[in-house]
Amino acid sequence: MKGLDRITNPFNDDKVISNCGLFGMMSTRGRKFSGRDVILAMANMHDRGNGLGGGFAAYGIYPEYEDCYALHVMYESMAGKEQTEAFIRTAFDLVHDEEMPHRDPASSRVGGAYTAGTAPILWRYFVRVPENVLKDMIREDARKDIKNIEEDVADDYVVKQVMTIDTQIADAYVFSSGKNMGVFKGVGYPEDIGNFFCLEEYSGYLWTAHGRFPTNTQAWWGGAHPFSLLDWSVVHNGEISSYGTNRAFLEMHGYYCCMHTDTEVIAYAVDLLARRHRLPMDIVAKVLAPPLWTAIDRMPGPERRLHTALRLTYPALLMNGPFTIIIARQGEMIGLRDRIQLRPLVAGIKDDMLYLSSEEAPIRVVCPELDETWTVKGGEPIIGRLGGRVITGSESRAAAS
């Protein structure tokens, strides 16, 4: 395509060294900290991106509205905003709304080569599911014996409304929809996106971040990472070559993939497996990045039967291709590499802090003296839990046997 270098190499570098950069840090004691160190870590991996996408997810940032779903919405037109707000007022009890705080786009150097110094309209809405809607849905739900059915039904309702906005209203995209958390993303280097959204003024106990180098899709604000649904967020380095199969399976379960990027399917797959099918995260990891059949055949009986059952039940959710992902939700951060280890992931621990990163250097930038650091093995998740300890891949493997 003529002029493609203007997008993929806007500064005419001799060689573009890039592969996306991931970073995550979490206090398992729930201590809150600002986005300053996360921005600093991403700036250290500047050369892993090309300025066409950066983003952050932060947990525990909206304590004043912790029982509300925080909808972060970007608009490309006022007509889209007006139509979406009319829909939101009909579908939800609106508690509060406001423009998302941000700095001047031009001075923040966001927007990329083609749209430098510009940004979409960015608005956030704190909403609740109406009581009468909840009661009707619970009355009609056949799953009478499950715990927390009210929360479960409310989540299903929010997913349906988010999908409606994303697929049926022009110029509007909901890029964050969880409780007491938020996603902040756009076109630009991650350190510039962080500065644009004033993330040093937020305080959370868990942060993830991403610097993007798009390989198959165009750069736009909605296409930056993290991808999020409810309180799930995913940042990803790599390429999901099984995207078509994954997408077809997820759309049979009510998810609509409209972002034109492979990472979107990971967020929806995690929601389906962990929230709707109630699988623990170490089992979810085994579905997304299972061992090869030859490795399963050599496993002891119970472990072999578990992996065989998962591969036969969820063959369409196997994520094929090179990838490293950091998944987060309230109280939990998970790092996972593909089983052949084609993308890097480094873990580090200092006291109650868990760090995950594409490289060790960004971890050392924000925490020079670590208790422990190691390279994460393929297919073996690292799980940090609020109020608990970090679970390593070998412990997860032992639990399955």
Side-chain angles (χ1 to χ4, degrees):
M1 185 180 77
K2 184 179 179 181
L4 184 61
D5 279 356
R6 290 180 59 194
I7 300 174
T8 60
N9 188 11
F11 303 109
N12 198 31
D13 294 327
D14 290 337
K15 183 179 182 181
V16 179
I17 303 172
S18 51
N19 258 321
C20 294
L22 314 181
F23 188 81
M25 56 188 294
M26 173 186 187
S27 165
T28 56
R29 293 179 189 160
R31 290 186 297 111
K32 292 187 178 182
F33 48 92
S34 80
R36 188 189 68 87
D37 280 354
V38 189
I39 295 172
L40 194 63
M42 292 308 298
N44 184 266
M45 290 191 284
H46 179 90
D47 287 343
R48 295 189 72 90
N50 61 358
L52 294 181
F56 301 78
Y59 291 78
I61 60 172
Y62 293 136
E64 67 274 34
Y65 298 109
E66 64 179 356
D67 65 333
C68 296
Y69 294 91
L71 305 182
H72 289 188
V73 189
M74 56 179 69
Y75 300 107
E76 295 293 341
S77 71
M78 283 304 297
K81 182 172 182 290
E82 292 169 0
Q83 188 177 351
T84 301
E85 290 188 343
F87 176 83
I88 288 175
R89 292 179 190 281
T90 301
F92 296 103
D93 289 338
L94 178 59
V95 177
H96 179 68
D97 73 289
E98 61 185 1
E99 186 177 20
M100 294 182 67
H102 62 76
R103 297 190 168 94
D104 174 58
S107 61
S108 299
R109 298 177 299 182
V110 299
Y114 282 126
T115 57
T118 64
I121 302 167
L122 297 159
W123 217 264
R124 61 187 176 194
Y125 307 83
F126 297 92
V127 302
R128 296 191 184 99
V129 178
E131 285 292 332
N132 61 323
V133 172
L134 264 183
K135 289 179 180 176
D136 289 345
M137 292 184 68
I138 292 171
R139 190 183 310 116
E140 296 170 2
D141 197 296
R143 303 168 299 170
K144 304 298 184 187
D145 57 339
I146 67 172
K147 294 180 179 178
N148 304 321
I149 187 169
E150 185 172 317
E151 182 179 345
D152 207 63
V153 166
D155 284 348
D156 285 343
Y157 180 80
V158 172
V159 170
K160 184 177 180 181
Q161 309 318 311
V162 168
M163 295 292 163
T164 299
I165 294 172
D166 288 350
T167 58
Q168 297 184 23
I169 299 179
D171 297 339
Y173 167 48
V174 181
F175 61 100
S176 186
S177 54
K179 289 181 177 179
N180 200 13
M181 61 81 66
V183 166
F184 307 84
K185 65 181 185 177
V187 176
Y189 282 101
E191 60 269 30
D192 295 331
I193 294 295
N195 175 65
F196 171 70
F197 279 109
C198 313
L199 295 187
E200 75 283 357
E201 297 178 3
Y202 290 82
S203 183
Y205 67 90
L206 191 171
W207 292 75
T208 64
H210 185 267
R212 190 179 184 218
F213 176 71
T215 49
N216 294 323
T217 56
Q218 66 179 17
W220 68 293
W221 281 67
H225 300 209
F227 284 90
S228 180
L229 184 67
L230 299 172
D231 72 343
W232 296 105
S233 67
V234 176
V235 291
H236 167 222
N237 170 20
E239 180 175 348
I240 304 298
S241 55
S242 57
Y243 170 76
T245 301
N246 305 144
R247 173 178 177 167
F249 183 82
L250 290 165
E251 290 190 342
M252 286 193 299
H253 289 79
Y255 299 91
Y256 299 98
C257 300
C258 55
M259 298 298 106
H260 307 292
T261 173
D262 51 358
T263 309
E264 185 181 19
V265 298
I266 303 175
Y268 299 159
V270 171
D271 183 66
L272 176 66
L273 293 169
R275 185 181 65 84
R276 292 174 59 182
H277 291 186
R278 301 179 182 280
L279 299 181
M281 282 309 303
D282 57 327
I283 297 296
V284 172
K286 291 174 173 45
V287 172
L288 302 182
L292 299 172
W293 279 115
T294 51
I296 294 175
D297 287 342
R298 294 194 295 270
M299 292 177 177
E303 191 177 1
R304 184 174 66 250
R305 285 193 290 274
L306 171 63
H307 282 280
T308 299
L310 292 175
R311 290 209 62 171
L312 293 177
T313 305
Y314 297 108
L317 289 183
L318 184 156
M319 300 290 162
N320 222 337
F323 71 83
T324 288
I325 53 177
I326 300 176
I327 304 167
R329 63 172 169 179
Q330 287 293 355
E332 206 166 48
M333 180 171 74
I334 305 99
L336 180 67
R337 300 174 70 191
D338 67 82
R339 55 192 176 183
I340 309 179
Q341 307 182 135
L342 294 173
R343 290 292 184 271
L345 183 62
V346 177
I349 291 178
K350 176 65 175 177
D351 299 328
D352 63 317
M353 295 298 298
L354 169 64
Y355 301 91
L356 297 172
S357 176
S358 297
E359 303 174 9
E360 184 174 338
I363 301 176
R364 297 285 183 183
V365 165
V366 299
C367 183
E369 300 296 329
L370 292 166
D371 296 333
E372 185 181 1
T373 182
W374 71 96
T375 299
V376 177
K377 291 184 178 179
E380 297 185 358
I382 300 297
I383 304 174
R385 291 198 174 117
L386 197 61
R389 60 187 180 85
V390 174
I391 299 173
T392 64
S394 58
E395 291 173 292
S396 171
R397 188 171 61 249
S401 60

